[in-house]
Amino acid sequence: MSKLTRRSFLYCGAATGALATLSGGRVRAAGGDGQVNLGLVGCGWRGGQLFNAFKGISGVRFAGFCDPDEARLDELAGQVPGSQRWKDLRAMLDSPEIDAVAIATCNHWHALAAIWAMQAGKHVYVEKPLGHYNWEGRQIVNAARRYDRICQVGTQQRSDPMQDELKQFLHEDRALGPVESVRVSRFGMRGTIGKLASPLAAPATLDYDLWLGPAQDEPIFRKEFHYDWHWDWNTGSGEMGNWGVHIVDDVRNVVFQDRVALPRRIVAGGGRFAWHDAGNTPNVHAAVLDTGSIPVIVGVCNVAVKPGSKSSPTTPGPGSGYTAFCAGGRLEGQRGRGAAFDAAGKKIREFTGNGGGGHQANFIKAVRTGDASILKAPAETGHNSTEWCSLANVAYRAGAALEESDRAAVLDDIQSAFAGGDKAVALVEQLRNVAVAHDGPQAARDFRLGPELTFDPQSERFVGPGSEAGNALLRRQDRPGFEVPTVAMGDRQARRS
C-alpha cells in the first residue's frame, strides 16, 4: 500500500515542504554534473519522445516509469533493464530514488500529477497545457513557489536560439516597424474519431480508475481509447489547447516579450463539423483576444476546405505558426524557422532554428544547480500561455448557436469594439463557410458565437456581462479521491480567494 495516501497528499503541509528541501538538496549536492534520477509519468507517444530526449542527456538515469496501462508501461520500461515500474503515481512518488519526474499524461492529469510530485519533494517537467482548466495552472505555479521546486513546462520552442534572433530583429533592430496585429493559425487536417453505438471498453491492461483520476466517469463512444482523449472536454482541451499553446507561447515570447501576461477581453466562435463523431471539442475555432496593446486573432481548423479536398483553408502566413503584421511588412514564425517580408511582400530575411531540442537539458541543468531562474519555460510562463488558449476555449463553450440577425449583431460588435476586428470577422466568416461546405446551410446556424467576455488578469476571473457562465468553466468538478488541491501562496493566494 502506498505510504503517500490520497489524504496525505492533500494535507501534507509544512512536513512536505521539509521533504522537498531534502530531496532537492540531494540532487544539488552532487554538483553541476551530478546524476539526476528521473521518473517518467505517462508511457504513451509523447512519453516515448521525452524518454528519447532525456536519455541523451549525460548524467540522467531513468529510475522508474509509471503508467496505468501495463502494456505501455512494460514496453517503455523494458528499454531500461532494472528500472522500477508503477501503475499508481503515488507509489512512484514514495520512492526516495526519484529526484524529478517528467509528466506526459493526458491533459486532465497534468495538474494533480505535478502538484503531488512537488508536494513529495520532486522536481517537475510537465507537458503543455499546464492545466486542464485555468484554475489548475495557478495551483501548479503556487506549488512550485511554496515547495521551492524546479518546474519546467514542455513548451520546448522557448529553448530554440532562433527566438532570440527573432526578438532582436523585431524589437531591437525594428526592421519592420511597430507591430500592429498578430494572427495565429493552426490549420492542420485531422480525421474523425468515430462514434460507436455502445460505449468503448477500456484496454484489458489498463487500470481505468487510475487513468480517469480527476476526470468524471463518463461513457466513451470514440473508436480508439488512447490519444483521441484530446477531443473530449472531460480529458482534453481540443486543438486550441494542444498545438495552440505552442504557437501562442511563441507569440507571447517573440511579439510581446512576455510583457502581456493575460488578455483582457475574448470573443470566440466555431463548432465541430463534417465528422459527426463522438468528439465535442471544436474542429473549427476562431478567437479574438484584446491584450491592451496588440490584438491577437487565433484560427484553428482541422478539416479540409471542402469535402473531398486534401487541402486546408488558406491562411495569411504559415498554416501552423503566427504572422506579426507590422507597419513596414510582416514577420512569420513557426517551429524551427521564420521569415521576414517587407511592405511589398519581398522576403528580406530567413531564420532557422532547432525547434527547441535543448529544452529538457535546460530543465536538468536547473535541477542540478537549484537555479529556477535559468528555466526557459517556468511554471508562471507556461500557465500564462496555456491560459490564453484555455480562455479561448471558455469563450467558445460559453457561446451558442445564433439566428442570422443575432450573429450579424455579434460580428458588428467585434468589428467596432476590437482593434483588428475586421480581420477577426473575416476569419469567422471563412471558417463558417468551411462548415457550410461540409454540412450545408444548417452549419451556418450551428456555428457558435460570443459572448464578449471581460477578464481580470489580477484575479484571473471574468467580470461584467457573461461572467457567471465564463467563471463556471474556469475550474472543473474533480472526481472524489483525485481532487486537485488548492495551494496557498501567501498574500498572493489571499488576493485570489
Side-chain angles (χ1 to χ4, degrees):
M1 182 69 178
S2 171
K3 291 179 291 182
L4 282 169
T5 65
R6 296 171 185 173
R7 181 174 297 274
S8 70
F9 267 113
L10 299 179
Y11 297 104
C12 56
T16 314
L19 174 61
T21 302
L22 292 172
S23 176
R26 178 159 55 90
V27 177
R28 291 194 290 270
D33 60 351
Q35 178 173 282
V36 176
N37 298 305
L38 188 66
L40 183 61
V41 185
C43 298
W45 174 77
R46 184 56 183 159
Q49 288 187 319
L50 288 184
F51 171 72
N52 289 329
F54 278 108
K55 77 176 182 180
I57 302 171
S58 177
V60 172
R61 167 182 171 263
F62 276 97
F65 297 81
C66 179
D67 197 291
D69 189 330
E70 195 168 5
R72 288 187 158 200
L73 176 61
D74 290 345
E75 180 179 2
L76 197 56
Q79 299 184 45
V80 183
S83 61
Q84 297 188 72
R85 306 176 190 186
W86 297 276
K87 295 178 73 173
D88 191 328
L89 172 61
R90 292 163 291 194
M92 169 186 266
L93 297 178
D94 277 345
S95 173
E97 295 303 312
I98 302 292
D99 300 315
V101 295
I103 299 169
T105 62
C106 306
N107 294 359
H108 68 282
W109 256 106
H110 286 182
L112 189 57
I115 293 170
W116 275 1
M118 287 187 280
Q119 287 179 332
K122 318 300 183 186
H123 302 289
V124 170
Y125 181 102
V126 56
E127 273 302 319
K128 58 79 201 161
L130 183 60
H132 187 209
Y133 280 71
N134 305 66
W135 175 86
E136 294 178 353
R138 176 53 59 190
Q139 307 318 304
I140 298 174
V141 174
N142 289 349
R145 293 174 180 171
R146 179 175 181 179
Y147 303 116
D148 192 23
R149 297 298 82 195
I150 303 297
C151 183
Q152 173 102 303
V153 183
T155 46
Q156 66 266 24
Q157 285 152 221
R158 287 263 172 176
S159 289
D160 190 335
M162 179 188 74
Q163 310 296 348
D164 289 333
E165 296 177 30
L166 291 170
K167 284 187 281 189
Q168 178 173 331
F169 179 82
L170 195 62
H171 300 289
E172 295 180 31
D173 300 344
R174 296 182 62 83
L176 299 174
V179 181
E180 297 177 341
S181 67
V182 178
R183 166 66 184 269
V184 170
S185 298
R186 175 57 184 175
F187 280 29
M189 288 192 292
R190 296 187 183 273
T192 176
I193 64 173
K195 188 172 184 178
L196 302 174
S198 56
L200 175 69
T205 55
L206 181 131
D207 185 318
Y208 186 62
D209 182 66
L210 290 177
W211 181 86
L212 272 179
Q216 296 302 311
D217 188 359
E218 299 174 351
I220 296 171
F221 289 94
R222 60 181 181 265
K223 289 185 176 180
E224 300 294 333
F225 189 86
H226 291 300
Y227 191 79
D228 286 340
W229 49 261
H230 275 291
W231 324 122
D232 181 349
W233 292 125
N234 190 38
T235 50
S237 311
E239 193 73 285
M240 186 69 75
N242 186 37
W243 259 100
V245 178
H246 281 304
I247 304 170
V248 165
D249 185 64
D250 277 354
V251 169
R252 290 193 59 253
N253 182 18
V254 174
V255 178
F256 290 98
Q257 298 180 286
D258 290 322
R259 290 171 182 162
V260 175
L262 298 167
R264 300 177 179 183
R265 292 185 299 152
I266 310 98
V267 174
R272 193 171 184 88
F273 302 100
W275 299 333
H276 311 291
D277 59 9
N280 54 27
T281 62
N283 57 13
V284 296
H285 192 173
V288 56
L289 300 98
D290 174 11
T291 66
S293 56
I294 303 165
V296 177
I297 299 156
V298 184
V300 169
C301 185
N302 292 145
V303 298
V305 64
K306 60 183 178 181
S309 174
K310 295 183 180 180
S311 300
S312 295
T314 59
T315 61
S320 184
Y322 65 90
T323 302
F325 295 98
C326 307
R330 70 184 191 274
L331 175 69
E332 297 180 356
Q334 55 189 307
R335 178 172 288 176
R337 63 184 188 273
F341 301 81
D342 65 17
K346 179 183 176 182
K347 185 183 291 186
I348 58 175
R349 183 166 173 183
E350 291 186 338
F351 302 85
T352 302
N354 63 15
H359 201 55
Q360 293 78 28
N362 172 247
F363 168 69
I364 294 299
K365 183 178 180 180
V367 169
R368 285 183 174 138
T369 61
D371 185 1
S373 71
I374 68 173
L375 289 173
K376 296 293 185 180
E380 180 92 40
T381 299
H383 167 60
N384 290 337
S385 294
T386 294
E387 191 143 0
W388 283 44
C389 297
S390 296
L391 292 174
N393 277 338
V394 168
Y396 162 79
R397 297 179 73 182
L402 300 176
E403 296 296 331
E404 183 63 25
S405 59
D406 294 330
R407 181 190 69 83
V410 170
L411 294 181
D412 285 345
D413 288 344
I414 292 173
Q415 189 143 355
S416 62
F418 284 83
D422 54 337
K423 292 180 180 179
V425 170
L427 172 62
V428 169
E429 294 289 30
Q430 179 192 28
L431 294 182
R432 185 168 174 262
N433 288 337
V434 169
V436 170
H438 285 277
D439 288 352
Q442 181 61 39
R445 295 185 288 274
D446 292 340
F447 195 98
R448 301 165 68 102
L449 265 181
E452 177 187 321
L453 296 175
T454 300
F455 192 70
D456 175 19
Q458 183 63 29
S459 65
E460 296 189 5
R461 302 273 295 176
F462 291 105
V463 296
S467 59
E468 184 176 355
N471 287 330
L473 294 167
L474 293 178
R475 182 178 180 180
R476 72 175 301 146
Q477 181 67 43
D478 294 326
R479 204 163 57 97
F482 294 91
E483 297 91 345
V484 175
T486 298
V487 181
M489 195 55 222
D491 292 339
R492 180 170 192 171
Q493 179 68 22
R495 287 199 301 269
R496 295 181 184 280
S497 62

